Amino acid sequence: MSLKKATLLIFIILLIDQVSKIYIKTHFQLGEDVTVFSWFKIAFIENDGMAWGTKLSDFIPSVSDQLAKLILTLFRIIAVIGIGIWLVNATKKKNSKILVFAIALIFAGALGNIIDSVFYGILFSDSSMQVATFLPEDGGYAGVFHGSVVDMLHFPIWSGLIPDHIPLIGGRYFSFFDPVFNVADVAISTGIGILIVFNNKVFEDTPKTESLESESHNSPT
């Protein structure tokens, strides 16, 4: 996959991600949800921390939530720069199309969530008990780098009591799938999943240019 095609893929994912987030932010109150199917809901929540709502301050109590949020956002920016460099190098070296595709997905997803963290705090008013306003006259709900990531996709596929005869977990209430996420999260998870499933093919393929050079050196003169 060429860098041009990878860039187009990134643009499409970012467009879908941001359009869906802006729509939710400007049409839903925080905590509001709509049932589309019995197994799928649009549920608006905001994520201030890391994956699964974890915060850096949960591990280091001395770090304030504001500082932890800033550190996390800066870390995300550094990470996405590194992923971008990886993507460019992979296309230049003509690495596996699967590898380039996976990196592009991860890059698009990471960038999509960074946009929320960096800009949404100054672009939108607060969503608690009200629908947010875009570019409010009295300022946004947080400063730059302190925005919250918008999540809205919820798949409560099954919930109920686990049969008593099942060892260890029998009799407990179980719900699958509880996490609420967004399009960017789907892109990141898919990209990582591709790297894991196709690990051998992705990382062991020799680039075509290197293969040709190797054959020319090894051929008799």
Side-chain angles (χ1 to χ4, degrees):
M1 178 182 284
S2 66
L3 182 60
K4 184 177 181 180
K5 290 181 179 179
T7 302
L8 178 60
L9 174 63
I10 291 168
F11 174 78
I12 292 172
I13 293 172
L14 279 177
L15 180 63
I16 297 172
D17 178 63
Q18 289 301 308
V19 167
S20 63
K21 288 174 177 176
I22 292 172
Y23 178 84
I24 293 297
K25 189 72 177 170
T26 56
H27 289 79
F28 284 68
Q29 296 181 21
L30 189 62
E32 184 179 355
D33 64 78
V34 173
T35 299
V36 181
F37 302 106
S38 60
W39 47 268
F40 173 53
K41 292 182 179 181
I42 301 295
F44 176 29
I45 69 168
E46 290 183 318
N47 181 5
D48 292 323
M50 298 177 284
W52 315 105
T54 306
K55 298 180 181 180
L56 182 62
S57 54
D58 294 337
F59 302 97
I60 310 175
S62 59
V63 176
S64 67
D65 286 344
Q66 289 295 314
L67 178 58
K69 177 63 179 176
L70 177 60
I71 293 173
L72 176 61
T73 300
L74 294 176
F75 173 78
R76 282 173 170 165
I77 293 173
I78 294 171
V80 83
I81 291 173
I83 297 169
I85 294 172
W86 185 18
L87 175 62
V88 172
N89 288 337
T91 56
K92 285 183 177 179
K93 294 178 180 178
K94 299 186 184 301
N95 287 134
S96 165
K97 291 181 180 180
I98 298 176
L99 174 62
V100 176
F101 180 72
I103 299 173
L105 289 177
I106 296 171
F107 179 85
L111 185 57
N113 284 336
I114 283 175
I115 292 173
D116 298 28
S117 297
V118 175
F119 299 112
Y120 273 31
I122 59 176
L123 292 178
F124 296 97
S125 60
D126 186 60
S127 296
S128 299
M129 306 300 293
Q130 63 180 0
V131 174
T133 302
F134 182 66
L135 295 177
E137 294 182 359
D138 55 349
Y141 68 86
V144 66
F145 295 112
H146 289 87
S148 298
V149 176
V150 174
D151 295 325
M152 80 293 290
L153 303 176
H154 185 208
F155 290 85
I157 296 174
W158 182 87
S159 62
L161 289 174
I162 301 175
D164 293 331
H165 64 268
I166 297 180
L168 301 179
I169 59 174
R172 296 183 182 180
Y173 179 84
F174 180 77
S175 178
F176 180 86
F177 180 74
D178 280 339
V180 181
F181 49 94
N182 56 45
V183 174
D185 295 331
V186 173
I188 294 172
S189 299
T190 303
I192 293 174
I194 290 173
L195 294 181
I196 293 173
V197 173
F198 298 98
N199 178 61
N200 292 334
K201 184 175 180 61
V202 164
F203 293 108
E204 292 184 6
D205 276 357
T206 304
K208 295 179 181 178
T209 54
E210 293 182 7
S211 297
L212 292 174
E213 290 176 2
S214 177
E215 289 177 5
S216 63
H217 286 309
N218 295 329
S219 61
T221 55

